[in-house]
Amino acid sequence: MAKPVNNTESQLMDKLVSLCKRRGFIFQSSEIYGGLNGAWDYGPLGVELLRNVKDEWWKNMTYREDIEGLDAAILMHPRVWEASGHVENFTDPMVDCKQCKSRYRLDILFEEISIKKQKDVLREIDPQRFQGQQKDEFISEQFKKISDSSPDAVIKVLSCPSCGNKGTFTDARKFNLMFKTFVGPVEDSGAVVYLRPETAQGIFVNFLNVQSSSRQKLPFGIAQIGKAFRNEINTKNFLFRTREFEQMEMQFFVKPGTDDKWFEYWREQRMQWFIDLGMKKDKLQWHQHAPDKLAHYAKDAFDIEYLFPFGWGEIEGIHNRTNFDLSRHEEYSGKTLKYFDEETKEKFTPFIIETSAGASRSLMAFLVNAYHEEEAPSAEGKMEQRIVMKFHPKLAPIKAAIFPLVNRDGMPEISKKIERELRPHLRVFYDDSGAVGRRYRRQDEVGTPYCITIDSQTLEDQTVTIRERDSMVQERVATDQLLSYFRTKFTFG
Ligand code: GAP
């Protein structure tokens, strides 16, 4: 039996980042030039894992009769972003330290101030009210009130967390998170386009194209996976907040009045998707947006949050977007995006239920969820430590490893034959170097669910050992049954 080993939260994060680099999951972007903040490269195993996450989502969404797929361009007409509200509203308030040039998002700067500093700030702003002993809850409540109503007054008496200087912050300014670029050779305002900050708008503007070409009737959805870009002020926590990332979004178009029912339906479906792929239930929770925190387009919104080592973080948002998006695109384009219901002969603008997951952020949650350190018995029965990535088999980058016990007695030939048979169907890995125990550990560390060993018994009865990653239980399977064994495990054709 394996026994879990406990890590502190920061140890766990450091170990995960180091494993991701060492084993070829994730590399820092442009590492040899010192890296580029907020961008990451997916190595051979990372790209496979990401593809598996996206494939599972794609199959779950589009292998049903009421959802169609789409792949819209990243560059869109600039009016799209005026209609969507991104030009006006997709901003974060930001301040700069004039002394050391550090830049902060105002809300995050305020969030990270200790109670002691909050007290100091309040006493400086209003010495009469904030004297003597006062409860911490009272202080943090008052600090929130004042920082919401008069942020500039707070900034003036704050010290910069980087250089420690006081009163060196600029006033708060709005900073638009969209990356701008230009189409064509002339770099003037008429040529500005944006890298899309979400994939959703490509779906909205194509609503009628997809509906009429696929002859779908309401309710139906459009699903899309693709890159999105946000010029985040603070990138942090590995893949959690990056400037370039991938989204998996589905917009479900419904008749107004049926939206609440579909909202509940999609909430349930989306939570179940994560659970079915092995996410621990106690690491998942719902966060409902308070009415005053709802996005400008939303009637109701829930986030699915995962408990990362640094705390709870959103991995997917489910929004009731009402008819905001289609109405705005009608208004800005002058083209109708109304739906004609053949049965009732009504014409109306559908409501939209959105499910919006980060592919890269979900991948990070799957990585954290999979990481385990255990004390486990070695081949000789001695207890030793193993790192094991307990990915759901559908997500595992390598599905099976093939080991000839020794490189003689015909074992390599049988092993190679098995490799040739399995490779067209599964991503397999051939390893003939070192003791079998070490080969197991190498595969545990990248989450390979099955290891096949070809040994002396294989020569006698044409069976091999299959060892399952998590339980480490071994069974013997006939070599001519291997394909059907894995077919039942991975359901391939
Ligand atoms: N269309 C709605 C929309 O884009 P969002 O909450 O801004 O909503 C949806 O983003 C999902 O995209 C988030 O739940 C998260 O998983 C992912 N995401 C957003 N910003 C991200 C970033 N800077 N880095 C990585 N993933 C991000």
Side-chain angles (χ1 to χ4, degrees), residues 254-282:
V254 303
K255 190 170 180 180
T258 63
D259 49 312
D260 291 341
K261 182 186 86 186
W262 284 110
F263 185 66
E264 286 313 312
Y265 170 84
W266 280 111
R267 276 185 56 202
E268 199 251 311
Q269 293 286 309
R270 293 307 305 143
M271 183 61 102
Q272 197 56 44
W273 185 78
F274 286 106
I275 294 168
D276 289 348
L277 287 175
M279 288 268 191
K280 297 174 191 116
K281 276 190 186 167
D282 60 340

Side-chain angles (χ1 to χ4, degrees), residues 136-310:
D136 286 357
E137 296 85 68
F138 173 76
I139 291 294
S140 61
E141 215 175 85
Q142 294 303 313
F143 182 81
K144 172 134 187 28
K145 263 193 192 154
I146 292 186
S147 56
D148 280 352
S149 59
S150 347
D152 285 338
V154 176
I155 294 164
K156 284 205 170 56
V157 296
L158 264 192
S159 304
C160 169
S162 287
C163 66
N165 282 302
K166 193 169 152 185
T168 51
F169 282 125
T170 58
D171 283 347
R173 280 174 292 176
K174 276 187 170 184
F175 173 72
N176 196 298
L177 300 188
M178 283 195 294
F179 280 102
K180 264 187 201 167
T181 187
F182 302 93
V183 280
V186 185
E187 296 195 1
D188 67 16
S189 58
V192 165
V193 288
Y194 301 97
L195 299 190
R196 67 179 176 200
E198 60 172 15
T199 56
Q201 300 300 326
I203 296 181
F204 303 143
V205 300
N206 278 299
F207 161 62
L208 278 187
N209 282 339
V210 175
Q211 188 268 323
S212 56
S213 59
S214 62
R215 298 172 57 226
Q216 282 282 1
K217 291 194 170 62
L218 249 55
F220 82 97
I222 304 177
Q224 173 166 224
I225 298 177
K227 291 254 181 178
F229 303 83
R230 297 182 187 179
N231 199 359
E232 301 281 2
I233 300 171
N234 296 316
T235 56
K236 61 176 182 182
N237 293 328
F238 196 30
L239 307 174
F240 186 79
R241 181 168 292 119
T242 54
R243 298 201 168 100
E244 176 179 342
F245 55 97
E246 259 184 298
Q247 287 187 316
M248 309 183 288
E249 295 200 299
M250 193 281 298
Q251 313 293 332
F252 203 70
F253 300 85
V254 303
K255 190 170 180 180
T258 63
D259 49 312
D260 291 341
K261 182 186 86 186
W262 284 110
F263 185 66
E264 286 313 312
Y265 170 84
W266 280 111
R267 276 185 56 202
E268 199 251 311
Q269 293 286 309
R270 293 307 305 143
M271 183 61 102
Q272 197 56 44
W273 185 78
F274 286 106
I275 294 168
D276 289 348
L277 287 175
M279 288 268 191
K280 297 174 191 116
K281 276 190 186 167
D282 60 340
K283 300 271 163 112
L284 290 167
Q285 71 173 19
W286 286 110
H287 164 74
Q288 183 173 19
H289 293 210
D292 62 328
K293 294 273 188 283
L294 280 174
H296 58 278
Y297 50 75
K299 171 175 157 188
D300 201 356
F302 278 82
D303 294 336
I304 298 177
E305 293 187 334
Y306 182 78
L307 186 56
F308 289 99
F310 47 82

Side-chain angles (χ1 to χ4, degrees), residues 394-409:
K394 285 182 176 165
L395 299 184
I398 300 170
K399 306 299 187 201
I402 301 162
F403 307 154
L405 185 65
V406 289
N407 273 320
R408 56 184 153 75
D409 303 336

Side-chain angles (χ1 to χ4, degrees), residues 386-398:
R386 71 165 184 161
I387 294 174
V388 52
M389 296 298 282
K390 296 186 177 176
F391 293 124
H392 188 288
K394 285 182 176 165
L395 299 184
I398 300 170

